[in-house]
Amino acid sequence: MFNRKKMKIFCSVSVVFAILASCSPETDQAYLPFSLPKSAKSAYRSVMSLAVPSNPPVVPLSTNGRYIVDSNNNRFKLKAVNWYGASDTRQVVGGLDKQPISHIISLIQEWGFNSVRLPFSNLMLHDANIVPNEYVAANPQFFGKTALQIYDETVAALTAAGIVVVLNNHTTFSEWCCGFDYNGQWYHTGSSFAYNQTPEMWKADWVFLVNRYKNNKLVAAADLRNEVRTQRFNDTHLPNSPNWGWNNIDDWRKAAGEAGNDILRANPDMVIVVEGINWWGAIPILGSGERPHLKPVRDLQVHIRNVNKLVYAAHNYGFIGPKHNGDDATSGGNIKYKDMDATTFRNTITDEWGYVTDPDAVTTAPVWVSEFGASPGETNPADREWLKRLVDYLIEKDLDFAFWPLNGEDEWGLVTSDWSQTKRGNWRDEHMDRLLAFSGKTGSVPYVDHLTKIGFNGVDDNVSTIDNDWLSGANKGTCPDGERLLGLSRDQRALCSDTKYGKLWHNDRATNVQAVYETTTRYHGTGDWAGGFTKYECPNDYYVAGATKHSWGTSGILCAHSKVPLANSCRTIWFDRGDSRSSQRGGDWAPGSYKGQCADTEYVAGVAQRDGGGAALLCCSSPLSGELPLVYKAKNLSHRTGFAEGDAWVVTTADHWADHIIYGPYDRGRWGTGNKQAVFRMLVDVTNANNDKVVTIDVFDGQDVLARRDVYRHEFVGPGQYTNFTLDFNIAPDKADRPMEVRAWWFDTSYVKTENVTIQNR
C-alpha cells in the first residue's frame, strides 16, 4: 500500500534519520515447523452463522489468454478487497479487536467481493510470540495463538465462506508500507537492527506457506511481492534499485521467475501474481527515478514453468505519478495521475500496464489492478475525477481488481471505524457499485493461441517443467510444455507457440537432444537442406522445443516427442542475411537481429548454423491436417442474394439477380496445409432445358483464387436432386493463415438451392 499522507513514498534523508532514531532492534526468529490449525470446522461454523457463503469458482484457477479461468475454463474475475494487518506491527488482520471474524467476512460479502488480497510479512511467519489478547479482543477463540496461527484462522474463515484468498508478501519485517525503507525489495541484508532476509530465505518462506495451505484450493494465488521499489542499501542511505533483466541479485524478473517455479513445484495449482516494478533509480532527493510498472514486460516477459499460471499486477493512486513519488517536497514538478487530462491518463496507464491484456501477443496475460483507493471524505475534484476515470478504465478493459482497503481504522476503509457495518453514503459509492456490478466476460473462454519469447544468450531461459540440465555446458532456451519452436534469431532468441494445434508433447514426455556435431536423424526428402552448414535435426515424429548456445554460439536443439504423427514435407527458411518470416505472429520478437520464422501451420524439425550463428530452419508441413473435415452450412456463410430455407440458401429467377449466393467463412489456419478438397452440395430445378451455366464456384484465400470451375445444368444428377461438385486445391505453408473463403456466383438462369460446403483433406 502506498503511504498516502501517513508517510511519504520516498522520504528525504533528514526524515529517514528521524525514523531510524525511533526504531527498535529486530532479531531473527527461528524457523519453526508450524502445523496447520485444527479449527477449520469451527471457523466454518462461525462464518456460516452470520455470512451467506459466496459462490466460489471451481478451483484450481489458471489463465487462458487475458482471463483468469476456473478448472472448467469459465472466466473467474477477481473482485477483491485488501484486508491488511498481518504485515504490520500487530501482525494480525485489522478489526479482530472490534468484531467477530464472521461479522467482518459478512461485510466483505455485503460489498460484493469474491476474493481477498491478504498481506503478510516474512517476520510474521517466524514470530513464535503469542499475540496479545487486546489485538483479537472480539475473537477470544484466538487467545493464546501466534500471529501465523491467527493468519491460518483468517484464511480458513474466508475460504469457508467461499471467498478466494490471494496470499500477498507485503513486507519483509512487520511495519507500515511503503517508504524508503528495508522492505522495498524481496530481500534485505547487512542491517544491524532490521530483520535480515536473503533471497533464498524469501523463496523458502513462499514454499513453506503454499505447502501449509496446499489442501485448501481456495487459497488460489501467490502475490509474490508488494510494490518492488528502491530501498536502503544495508544500514546506509544509499539507494539500492531493483532492475528487470540484468540477471543479478536485484533482478526482479529473475527473482519472480525463480520463486514462481519453486511455488509451482510445491503446489502446481497456484496462480503466480507478479507486480511490475513500482519505482527504480535513486530516491528523488538524490537523483531521478521513475515508476515503470509493467513496461519492461514488452521486452522481457516473466517465465515460469506453467505458462497458464501467470498473472501480472499493477497499482494506481491519484496522488502519485510516473515520476512523482507522492511527496511534493521531493518530487514536485512531476505530474500526478490525478492531474492528467483524460486522454493522457488513459494513454499513460495503457502504456504502463493496460497493454498487457491486448490479444495475440507474446505479452498477453491477465492484469490485476491489486491496489487503488480514495478517501470517502475527499473533496478535491481532481481526486474524485481520477477515481471515476480509473473505474471507467477497469470496466472498459474488463480488468480484475482489488480495492485498498477494507480496514475500518483506515481513513480510506470500506467499513466503519468500529467494523460494525459497511461505510456507505459517500461519493465513492457510485463508482464502487458500478465496478462491482459489472461482470464483464462470463462463461466459457475460447482457447487462444499462446506465444512465448525466449532468449538464451548467456543465460538459461526455461519455460518448461523440464528441470534436468539437458545439455551440460550450454545455455538453454526451452519452450513451454507442448509448445513448439517456430522462430529463431541469429543472436539466440526464439519464438515458441501452440498456435493452430495446441500442446503437442506426448504423454511419455520423451525428449531427444541433437547438439554440437551435425546430425541427420530423419528422412524428409529435401536432401542437404542447408549445404555447407552444420545441421541439427530431430528424429521422425519429434519437433524442436528448445535450443542451446555454447560459448561459440548456437549449438543444438531439444526435440520433443509429438502426441500425433508429424508430416514430413519440409523446406528451408534462410535467415543468415536478413529476416525470413512466413508468419508475423509475435511481432518483432527479436529486434535488431535477423530471424527466421516458419508458418503457423508448420513445425521446426531442424536448425542449421555456421560459425556459431543460427542461419536456417527446417520447416516441415503441418503436424495435423487442419481441423478437417469442416462442414459449412449455407446459412452460416454470407450472402448477397437469395433467401434461407432451413439450412440451405435459395435463389429464383423471379426474385433475384446475378450475384454471390454464398461466400466466407474467412477462416484462418483451420484448414491446415497441403492438398485439400472443397465439396459444394447444390441442386437445380430442371436439367433438360438449355445447358445454361448455373453457378461458378471457387476457393479464394483473400489474395489468390486457389481453384475455380463453372457448373452447367447437365452436370446435376437430376432435377431437384442434390449433387456434389468438387474443387481440388492446395494450401502452401506460407499461405495457411490467409482468410480462406468458398464462393458461389449465381447467373440468374434457374432455381438453385445450396445446402453446404465441406472442406476435407485430399
Side-chain angles (χ1 to χ4, degrees), residues 351-429:
D351 182 55
E352 289 177 343
W353 42 266
Y355 76 92
V356 175
T357 62
D358 292 346
D360 201 32
V362 294
T363 53
T364 304
V367 170
W368 184 34
V369 183
S370 54
E371 279 192 27
F372 68 98
S375 168
E378 184 61 68
T379 58
N380 186 345
D383 286 280
R384 292 189 171 196
E385 181 64 19
W386 161 81
L387 182 62
K388 174 188 177 299
R389 289 173 180 173
L390 180 62
V391 170
D392 288 344
Y393 191 81
L394 294 175
I395 291 174
E396 175 194 341
K397 299 280 282 186
D398 193 8
L399 297 175
D400 302 75
F401 60 86
F403 186 86
W404 183 280
L406 175 72
N407 296 52
E409 71 273 13
D410 193 292
E411 175 192 350
W412 291 8
L414 290 178
V415 300
T416 56
S417 59
D418 63 357
W419 292 75
S420 64
Q421 57 187 325
T422 57
K423 190 184 292 183
R424 285 287 192 169
N426 62 79
W427 69 276
R428 298 181 308 181
D429 291 357

Side-chain angles (χ1 to χ4, degrees), residues 233-502:
F233 177 71
N234 295 344
D235 277 340
T236 74
H237 301 101
L238 298 175
N240 190 47
S241 175
N243 67 74
W244 190 278
W246 292 13
N247 200 35
N248 61 12
I249 193 173
D250 296 313
D251 184 347
W252 173 230
R253 173 184 180 262
K254 177 176 182 287
E258 291 175 352
N261 285 336
D262 286 351
I263 289 169
L264 290 172
R265 289 185 187 98
N267 183 356
D269 290 336
M270 293 293 284
V271 167
I272 306 300
V273 180
V274 180
E275 293 182 31
I277 293 180
N278 199 50
W279 192 276
W280 63 16
I283 56 173
I285 197 171
L286 299 177
S288 63
E290 63 176 339
R291 195 183 310 279
H293 285 302
L294 295 172
K295 288 194 288 186
V297 172
R298 284 190 177 88
D299 298 319
L300 289 172
Q301 296 78 51
V302 173
H303 285 161
I304 56 176
R305 58 193 278 118
N306 192 338
V307 292
N308 70 339
K309 291 293 185 178
L310 176 64
V311 171
Y312 289 107
H315 296 175
N316 191 259
Y317 289 98
F319 67 93
I320 58 172
K323 293 188 177 181
H324 198 296
N325 64 13
D327 179 10
D328 289 333
T330 59
S331 197
N334 295 315
I335 194 169
K336 302 174 183 177
Y337 292 110
K338 69 178 181 181
D339 294 327
M340 296 176 177
D341 61 61
T343 300
T344 302
F345 176 70
R346 175 187 170 80
N347 291 343
T348 299
I349 61 176
T350 298
D351 182 55
E352 289 177 343
W353 42 266
Y355 76 92
V356 175
T357 62
D358 292 346
D360 201 32
V362 294
T363 53
T364 304
V367 170
W368 184 34
V369 183
S370 54
E371 279 192 27
F372 68 98
S375 168
E378 184 61 68
T379 58
N380 186 345
D383 286 280
R384 292 189 171 196
E385 181 64 19
W386 161 81
L387 182 62
K388 174 188 177 299
R389 289 173 180 173
L390 180 62
V391 170
D392 288 344
Y393 191 81
L394 294 175
I395 291 174
E396 175 194 341
K397 299 280 282 186
D398 193 8
L399 297 175
D400 302 75
F401 60 86
F403 186 86
W404 183 280
L406 175 72
N407 296 52
E409 71 273 13
D410 193 292
E411 175 192 350
W412 291 8
L414 290 178
V415 300
T416 56
S417 59
D418 63 357
W419 292 75
S420 64
Q421 57 187 325
T422 57
K423 190 184 292 183
R424 285 287 192 169
N426 62 79
W427 69 276
R428 298 181 308 181
D429 291 357
E430 173 192 356
H431 305 304
M432 291 300 298
D433 288 345
R434 63 192 180 96
L435 180 60
L436 285 161
F438 177 72
S439 57
K441 167 67 180 176
T442 59
S444 179
V445 177
Y447 182 80
V448 297
D449 295 341
H450 191 268
L451 302 168
T452 305
K453 181 172 69 174
I454 58 176
F456 50 99
N457 191 338
V459 296
D460 284 350
D461 198 354
N462 179 30
V463 202
S464 169
T465 56
I466 297 173
D467 282 326
N468 64 300
D469 185 358
W470 52 267
L471 184 59
S472 178
N475 291 123
K476 293 165 285 295
T478 314
C479 295
D481 291 356
E483 291 190 19
R484 64 195 192 277
L485 189 141
L486 278 181
L488 183 66
S489 74
R490 295 276 290 168
D491 63 351
Q492 292 83 39
R493 286 177 281 178
L495 180 71
C496 308
S497 183
D498 58 2
T499 182
K500 308 303 179 191
Y501 309 111

Side-chain angles (χ1 to χ4, degrees), residues 452 454 456 461-466 470 476-488 494-497 504-506 509-514 536-539 542-548 556-562 566 603-607:
T452 305
I454 58 176
F456 50 99
D461 198 354
N462 179 30
V463 202
S464 169
T465 56
I466 297 173
W470 52 267
K476 293 165 285 295
T478 314
C479 295
D481 291 356
E483 291 190 19
R484 64 195 192 277
L485 189 141
L486 278 181
L488 183 66
L495 180 71
C496 308
S497 183
L504 274 180
W505 203 5
H506 195 284
R509 294 174 59 88
T511 58
N512 175 281
V513 178
Q514 302 292 327
Y536 315 118
E537 299 179 16
C538 291
Y542 281 71
Y543 60 92
V544 177
T548 66
I557 54 176
L558 175 72
C559 305
H561 188 200
S562 173
L566 296 182
Y603 69 97
V604 177
V607 171

Side-chain angles (χ1 to χ4, degrees), residues 25-41:
E26 297 279 359
T27 58
D28 290 352
Q29 300 293 330
Y31 193 95
L32 299 179
F34 294 117
S35 60
L36 283 170
K38 298 179 180 179
S39 52
K41 290 184 179 179

